[in-house]
Amino acid sequence: MATKTTKWGILSTARIGIEKVIPGLMKANGVEVVAIASRDLAGAQEAASRLGIPQAYGSYDELLADPEVEVIYNPLPNNMHVPYTMKATEAGKHVLCEKPIALDGDEASLLLDVPSDLYVMEAFMVRCHPQWQRAREIVLSGELGDILLVQSAFAYNNSDPKNIRNQLATGGGALMDIGCYPIVAARYFLEKDPVRVISLVDRDPTFGTDRLTSALLDFGGGQRAEFTVATQSVPYQRINILGTSKRLEMLIPFNAPLGGETVLRLDDGKVLGDGALETEVIPACDQYQLQGELFSRVVRGEEELPYGTGDAILNMRIIDAIFRSEATEVWETVHTSVSD
């Protein structure tokens, strides 16, 4: 039996959409990208022609008014995520919104007003990747023993003042852009939320954005997560999950190579220097394709929404607490009571 097609519209010609998300959606089973919008009609038409999208619009509101579109993918700048996600739901559309979903937890909480028959999901494509799913399966199996620590690093080098990641007013900086990933990783693997956080932040003197941010998250019961993210560093990424019996290492946890294999490494530490290392190869996939297929199944009523607005709000509240700790230089409590 053929899968029913869910029709998508793309808000903006943002690079993440053009280079990664839309190509993934075009390959996805049960997904049809029918329209793309930009504030510049020529830009939308050029992207539509290049990607094979039938309809181009010169404004976001025109796309939202298209009755054929059922799902909106929102990769607009961070300060436009909530406003246009709300506009999309007011137009009766479901929304897959890029991360971080808002500028702070209060703004994210506005999404609680979205009608219950419409779905909004934050686009953490990593949770759709088989390497993450297999890693959590190993964690939950008990093979690592009692989990003590989720340790993450994520860094790139970008000092372009025109790049939106270096613009404070629109939600730039290391914590907002990439720090949200280690937070999601810790919550995903520990299957709980932190109760308090403390941070150390270094800001670019010109941009005002955080360029080197480290945080320690206390999950209670002796479990913790620690991470460092950087925007002006040698590119690097890694996750290590330490248990009482073994550790699990993910080599490319966040920007997994499209069409390439990924590797999980297990080590019981009996021989230092990785001498007891065991590897498990995860077959190639496109995590953006898998994300599109998952959300389309949710929209069609074939699957429950795994991560809704409550999850997104809580992630923002953790980021808020990390920024508060930057200012106070002490532990800050995470407010975890969210009604979805």
Side-chain angles (χ1 to χ4, degrees), residues 194-254:
V195 295
R196 60 177 184 158
V197 303
I198 194 167
S199 67
L200 182 62
V201 177
D202 176 57
R203 290 185 176 270
D204 184 284
T206 301
F207 305 149
T209 53
D210 62 307
R211 60 184 176 184
L212 181 65
T213 294
S214 300
L216 180 62
L217 285 64
D218 177 10
F219 283 78
Q223 292 183 315
R224 65 189 62 178
E226 61 185 30
F227 70 82
T228 294
V229 289
T231 60
Q232 297 177 21
S233 161
V234 58
Y236 177 74
Q237 56 185 265
R238 196 64 49 97
I239 290 177
N240 260 296
I241 304 171
L242 273 66
T244 52
S245 301
K246 290 183 181 181
R247 72 175 177 90
L248 186 153
E249 184 178 12
M250 303 173 71
L251 301 185
I252 313 177
F254 308 116

Side-chain angles (χ1 to χ4, degrees), residues 66-251:
D66 186 335
E68 187 179 17
V69 173
E70 301 170 83
V71 180
I72 295 294
Y73 168 60
N74 179 359
L76 293 167
N78 295 342
N79 62 317
M80 298 172 73
H81 283 174
V82 168
Y84 272 91
T85 293
M86 295 296 289
K87 280 189 173 187
T89 59
E90 288 164 7
K93 318 296 187 187
H94 308 276
V95 183
L96 177 67
C97 182
E98 265 307 328
K99 55 78 207 166
I101 206 160
L103 293 179
D104 56 39
D106 287 343
E107 187 187 37
S109 294
L110 297 175
L111 297 172
L112 292 173
D113 292 332
V114 170
S116 59
D117 61 338
L118 293 174
Y119 298 110
V120 174
M121 188 173 82
E122 196 169 11
F124 282 112
M125 72 295 178
V126 289
R127 292 187 292 209
C128 296
H129 198 293
Q131 72 165 335
W132 277 55
Q133 295 167 355
R134 174 58 181 147
R136 184 163 68 170
E137 185 179 75
I138 293 170
V139 168
L140 296 179
S141 74
E143 184 175 353
L144 305 185
D146 296 330
I147 304 303
L148 306 173
L149 172 68
V150 179
Q151 182 184 61
S152 306
F154 195 0
Y156 60 77
N157 200 331
N158 184 336
S159 56
D160 178 6
K162 296 180 180 179
N163 191 285
I164 198 164
R165 294 170 181 82
N166 294 320
Q167 296 173 12
L168 186 62
T170 54
L175 183 58
M176 293 284 278
D177 186 40
I178 53 178
C180 52
Y181 283 107
I183 294 170
V184 162
R187 296 175 63 212
Y188 182 83
F189 293 117
L190 295 176
E191 293 199 317
K192 59 199 299 191
D193 298 308
V195 295
R196 60 177 184 158
V197 303
I198 194 167
S199 67
L200 182 62
V201 177
D202 176 57
R203 290 185 176 270
D204 184 284
T206 301
F207 305 149
T209 53
D210 62 307
R211 60 184 176 184
L212 181 65
T213 294
S214 300
L216 180 62
L217 285 64
D218 177 10
F219 283 78
Q223 292 183 315
R224 65 189 62 178
E226 61 185 30
F227 70 82
T228 294
V229 289
T231 60
Q232 297 177 21
S233 161
V234 58
Y236 177 74
Q237 56 185 265
R238 196 64 49 97
I239 290 177
N240 260 296
I241 304 171
L242 273 66
T244 52
S245 301
K246 290 183 181 181
R247 72 175 177 90
L248 186 153
E249 184 178 12
M250 303 173 71
L251 301 185

Side-chain angles (χ1 to χ4, degrees), residues 26-47:
M26 302 292 269
K27 294 184 293 184
N29 183 40
V31 171
E32 183 181 358
V33 180
V34 297
I36 187 168
S38 173
R39 289 174 295 182
D40 170 51
L41 178 58
Q45 290 172 332
E46 190 279 330

